[in-house]
Amino acid sequence: MTIMEPRKHGSSADGVVGGRLSRIEGQLKVTGAATYALEYPTEGLAHAVLVQSTVAAGRVVKVDTASALSSPGVLMVLTPEDDLGLRVSGDWGGNPPEDLPYHPLPREVQFNGQSIAAVVAETREQAAEAARLVSVTYEEQPGVADLDDPKAGEGKLLAHLSVAWGDAEAALVAAPVRIEADYRTPREYHCAMEPHGLTAKWEDDQLIIWEPSQWSHGMARMYAEWFSLPSENVRIISPFIGGGFGSKGQPLAFGAVAAAAARKLGRPVRLAVTRPQNFTSYGGRAATRQTIKLGATPDGILQAIIHRGANETSVYADVPEQTGAATPILYKVENFSSESRVVPVNTVSPGALRGPGKNPSAFGIECAMEELAYALNMDPLELRLKNYADHDYQSGKPWSTRQLREALTQGAEAFGWSKRNPAPRSMRKGRKLLGWGIGCGTFPVIQAPSEAMIRILSNGRVEVVSGSIDMGQGTYTILAQTASEALGVPVDQVDVVLGDSRLPGAAIAGGSMLAGSITGAVHKAALAARDELIGLALGASGSPFRDTGANTLTIQDGRLSLPREDSPTMNLPELLASLGRDHIEIRRNTLPEDLSLQDQQKSWGNMSRVQGPTMGDYSMHSWCAHFAEVEVDEDFGTVRVSRMVSAFDCGRLYNPRLVESQWRGGIIMGIGQALLEEGVVDPRNGRTMNSNLGDYLVPTNADIPDIEVISVGIPDLRASALGGKGVGEVGIVGVAPAIANAVFHATGKRVRDLPITLEKLI
């Protein structure tokens, strides 16, 4: 999708990296001109609707399709009896897939809401009506509903996630001050405004898919493996995404069903997942439980941290939520022990939801630190500063940059923390109890290779071309700024083309890794294009610079000139005209220089070359400190967040306006996590009972207070080519414990299981 609409960008300073440029695709979105995946017009379109299981565990004995097939407009009903001819795909890391069949409509039922049949008809209404007529007979088996099910057990220990140094058990016993508590978080769901779905179309052996995608190249590779095709035979088109939060990074079973149906019918098929089906067609954040033990000296120096965590997973895949992810790196401690378990239950496999792992981990350790502060009769801010980690005690490596101390001190000053009366129930606002709390957060820097193409056209416009995506975080805008700055052309002259797996390869938009990787590729390509322009200008026969003897040219505002007052000038259209060229095209990537073209192409569809935060000489992370104020009605037990001040260290900000939007979005989701969100499961049959946006509560405008965000970061050139660190994930991490700690300060009641609802306070 090319963004070429006329637009106003503000001052010229806004058009470079670090400027506060408004998002360049914003006008398309607010006027309805942006086309989303399920809106593409396609001739001969048929519609598919899913039929889902109503039991948690068992086996499909029979699917009666007679009534559905006789309904008006019905073209096909797919059931577990149908061999769709699919094979298992490889994992995210690109490991070769097993030579096994893949059944997106399985006979074995593993959770309530699993897709087991699909009806295809001329219209969506006809398909939906016929789907209600499909009758399924089950051989039901006992299931495990959730973590609280007596049949769930303790789960499986994940040895690779165990972390230990020193002697935590002995140090805890010897510590003069000790606290121990259990913390729990429920199932949470993505609830993106745009539901999932796709349109699949075959052209001979070429598969074209319009689907919201956080990773066009990876999804194309997985679809190709399902259908035993070369990756280049699958094209994912996804220029705009209406929210993902981690749920749109890979193809899912319904996608395989739609594509298989389209192949069988010989015509395009669209499958729009209903809102309730969005709760079971893919996994949200797993429910977690943690036990944390802290030992400290009377003056507040941590002596030991012992962490034991577990999360629910599906019965068919071990997916850790990594409840110990943040615990080892937030504070200085010489004795540490952490273990993680997964507990199989009959649910869809959990997925990545904003701040995966670090989010529930921070809830545990940050609530525990607050409890320790009260046990010590110490200011919670002082306790955190006193145990500031000068390096990464888990890896033993120095931080690349870590401005968490600055986040705590500057956030506290902006919040007015020094005015806090430490005693619970001591602060009031009219008839409401007032509470203040702190929560720190972190998220790792994940580095991934990417590729970009710069095209300079005969009319002087510049195109930035990449298969990366923009789901609202601002990729279109920051790439325009990056190219504008590196090339020396006005940002109004730059168009950005994204969201297609046929375009140059890019990292997944997840784990806060896309911006740092793709801006590096665009910057590299733009500098190479600049050098190419200058070289051509110095060597072209019709160029006014050819015989000047100059070895330096500058490009500013799209014009080439020498660094002297009497210099001739030439704009880009004039240069290309003098060369007889209709365009100049430069392509660069951030992969190792000696990598073969074949290996380069493979790199975009898997994560084998992704590097974690400690794979180099430094430990690289983003950091934040949240300060929350809550008002609690002591008569009714209702809680409202009345004020938030949050300070972040995310390195250099490519566009502060967009970064602040990302931070606020994360904070808003954290408010929902703390006070509203909870997947409620029927213990009798494992059914998600509130699978809709009426009963599964998410924050609305009325729930959100004034949110002040502060940047304390400094450029970190170890983390990325332009010095930025991730901003999208870290915003939610630490928000829920800040609110929980504020609620305790207001009421004197410690709620250790989210969400904090009135029945837990009254």
Side-chain angles (χ1 to χ4, degrees), residues 83 114 162 188 202 211 256 385 390 442 504 512-513 568 580 641 739 755:
D83 182 3
Q114 187 168 16
S162 295
E188 300 164 39
W202 289 85
E211 181 173 6
L385 292 173
D390 57 342
T442 182
S512 287
M513 71 180 81
V641 179
I739 294 170

Side-chain angles (χ1 to χ4, degrees), residues 5 26 68 111 150 161 172 255 300 331 343 363 429 440 582 621 694 725:
E5 295 294 311
F111 59 92
L161 294 180
L172 182 71
Y331 299 106
V343 180
F363 176 67
K429 184 178 181 181
C440 292
D582 61 359
H621 306 261
K725 300 191 288 188

Side-chain angles (χ1 to χ4, degrees), residues 387-407:
N387 290 282
Y388 186 84
D390 57 342
H391 68 278
D392 182 348
Y393 281 76
Q394 181 177 1
S395 68
K397 296 180 179 181
W399 307 116
S400 55
T401 54
R402 190 186 203 242
Q403 300 288 103
L404 182 55
R405 187 191 305 277
E406 289 76 7

Side-chain angles (χ1 to χ4, degrees), residues 579-720:
L579 297 171
R581 302 272 293 270
D582 61 359
H583 75 280
I584 293 171
E585 187 174 290
I586 300 292
R587 194 167 178 148
R588 292 290 186 272
N589 63 54
T590 57
L591 287 164
E593 297 290 342
D594 59 350
L595 207 61
S596 70
L597 181 61
Q598 184 179 18
D599 285 340
Q600 288 181 29
Q601 295 302 318
K602 289 181 179 178
S603 297
W604 313 129
N606 63 66
M607 296 190 181
S608 60
R609 296 186 179 275
V610 170
Q611 294 189 331
T614 58
M615 293 185 73
D617 296 330
Y618 294 86
S619 182
M620 302 179 293
H621 306 261
S622 293
W623 307 94
C624 63
H626 301 284
F627 295 81
E629 176 184 272
V630 300
E631 297 175 1
V632 181
D633 188 309
E634 62 179 330
D635 295 321
F636 296 101
T638 53
V639 180
R640 174 175 173 77
V641 179
S642 50
R643 189 162 59 98
M644 290 284 302
V645 174
S646 301
F648 293 88
D649 167 20
C650 295
R652 182 189 185 193
L653 308 185
Y654 305 138
N655 183 316
R657 183 194 297 270
L658 302 182
V659 168
E660 290 161 7
S661 175
Q662 284 290 291
W663 288 341
R664 289 190 175 98
I667 292 165
I668 290 168
M669 292 181 75
I671 293 172
Q673 179 187 32
L675 302 179
L676 300 168
E677 298 187 44
E678 179 181 19
V680 181
V681 179
D682 190 330
R684 300 168 299 176
N685 55 23
R687 181 175 68 90
T688 302
M689 294 191 289
N690 56 339
S691 57
N692 59 79
L693 293 185
D695 297 318
Y696 183 86
L697 303 180
V698 296
T700 63
N701 287 348
D703 300 301
I704 305 306
D706 176 67
I707 299 174
E708 180 181 353
V709 291
I710 302 166
S711 173
V712 299
I714 58 176
D716 188 341
L717 296 175
R718 300 183 184 99
S720 67

